[in-house]
């Protein structure tokens, strides 16, 4: 496991917070990919490089590796990454993990064919994510929104995009899929509390 996150201090609070969360989490089942990836997996390339950014326990990374993509996974929490490595090992999947504060060290330009981000929002990273894709690359993004129908996810608006905000943040991409239902209509049904976007780098 590489350690870019160790070189900087601004992420130390976040790292400690998330390490505590993952130390407390139960071992249990294999983490699952986000809906944006599972439901749109037919868009994935047959080969290439993929990144699960702010991967946590790495449900997206495991899914990408199983699809045959050369997969990296970045997170600020070494505890989460250690658990991901153990699970990838049990499943015989190759996932290269890196403890990395992505706010301080965004992914390098033109490095990935696929980037997946789920349940993480740092508005300042949006342009770097677009830059990190190779031409023809895909961004799969899903995160909690400000317009929720339940208490799921964070309450701090800093982490919750406004209606259509993901479309604005990733306006440089060609939007392939977008879904955000807010509180419209029959709120007990549908895809609620989150927005999802798949965008193509032209
Ligand atoms: C709500 S969890 C989502 C994890 C995973 N993507 C998922 O969908 O289950 C947010 C993740 O962001 C990571 N994180 C928070 N700040 C970060 C930063 N500055 N750099 C890298 N990862 C960060 C946390 O460690 C945590 O794993």
């Amino acid at each position: 496991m590489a350690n870019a996150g160790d070189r900087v201090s601004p992420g130390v609070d976040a790292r400690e917070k998330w390490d505590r969360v993952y130390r407390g989490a139960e071992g249990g089942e294999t983490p699952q990919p986000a809906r944006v990836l599972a439901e749109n997996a037919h868009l994935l390339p047959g080969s290439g490089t993929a990144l699960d950014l702010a991967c946590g326990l790495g449900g997206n990374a495991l899914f990408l590796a199983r699809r045959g993509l050369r997969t990296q996974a970045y997170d600020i929490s070494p505890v989460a990454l250690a658990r991901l490595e153990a699970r990838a090992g049990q499943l015989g999947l190759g996932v290269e993990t890196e403890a990395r504060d992505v706010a301080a060290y965004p992914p390098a330009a033109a490095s990935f064919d696929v980037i997946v981000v789920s349940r993480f929002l740092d508005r300042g990273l949006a342009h770097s994510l677009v830059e990190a894709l190779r031409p023809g690359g895909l961004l799969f993004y899903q995160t909690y929104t400000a317009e929720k129908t339940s208490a799921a996810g964070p309450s701090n608006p800093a982490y919750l995009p406004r209606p259509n905000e993901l479309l604005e943040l990733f306006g440089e991409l060609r939007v392939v899929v977008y879904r955000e239902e807010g509180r419209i209509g029959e709120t007990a049904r549908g895809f609620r509390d989150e927005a999802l976007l798949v965008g193509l780098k032209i």
Side-chain angles (χ1 to χ4, degrees):
M1 186 199 311
N3 257 316
D6 279 348
R7 288 177 293 171
V8 285
S9 53
V12 166
D13 285 352
R15 186 176 69 203
E16 287 175 354
K17 174 192 143 180
W18 284 103
D19 274 350
R20 268 197 306 279
V21 169
Y22 289 115
R23 260 190 219 104
E26 287 176 24
E29 292 157 17
T30 299
Q32 295 303 302
R35 189 162 170 169
V36 67
L37 182 57
E39 287 189 356
N40 298 295
H42 58 284
L43 299 173
L44 287 169
S47 61
T49 55
L51 172 65
D52 183 359
L53 181 130
C55 62
L57 299 176
N60 300 318
L62 295 170
F63 185 90
L64 293 164
R66 195 175 280 120
R67 294 280 304 213
L69 296 168
R70 227 166 39 254
T71 302
Q72 294 186 44
Y74 297 166
D75 199 280
I76 204 165
S77 165
V79 174
L81 294 175
R83 288 182 55 176
L84 167 56
E85 285 167 15
R87 186 52 55 109
Q90 286 163 3
L91 297 170
L93 295 170
V95 175
E96 193 183 316
T97 66
E98 184 168 328
R100 179 162 173 146
D101 178 349
V102 297
Y105 297 96
S111 335
F112 295 101
D113 300 297
V114 174
I115 298 177
V116 183
V117 184
S118 62
R119 297 177 170 169
F120 175 80
L121 179 70
D122 178 340
R123 292 172 173 83
L125 262 183
H127 181 66
S128 300
L129 293 183
V130 174
E131 287 286 292
L133 286 171
R134 298 200 179 101
L138 287 166
L139 174 70
F140 293 76
Y141 208 109
Q142 176 178 333
T143 203
Y144 288 108
T145 50
E147 254 190 24
K148 291 192 280 181
T149 61
S150 77
S155 52
N156 182 342
Y159 302 120
L160 297 169
R162 302 180 309 276
N164 277 0
E165 191 179 350
L166 289 188
L167 291 170
E168 292 164 25
L169 286 172
F170 298 108
E172 295 170 84
L173 300 175
R174 173 179 146 193
V175 175
V176 181
V177 179
Y178 187 71
R179 190 165 179 190
E180 180 181 11
E181 299 181 357
R183 289 189 281 267
I184 300 164
E186 209 178 319
T187 56
R189 302 180 60 192
F191 176 69
R192 304 294 175 169
D193 303 329
E194 297 183 78
L196 62 78
L197 172 144
V198 181
L200 175 76
K201 172 132 173 202
I202 312 285

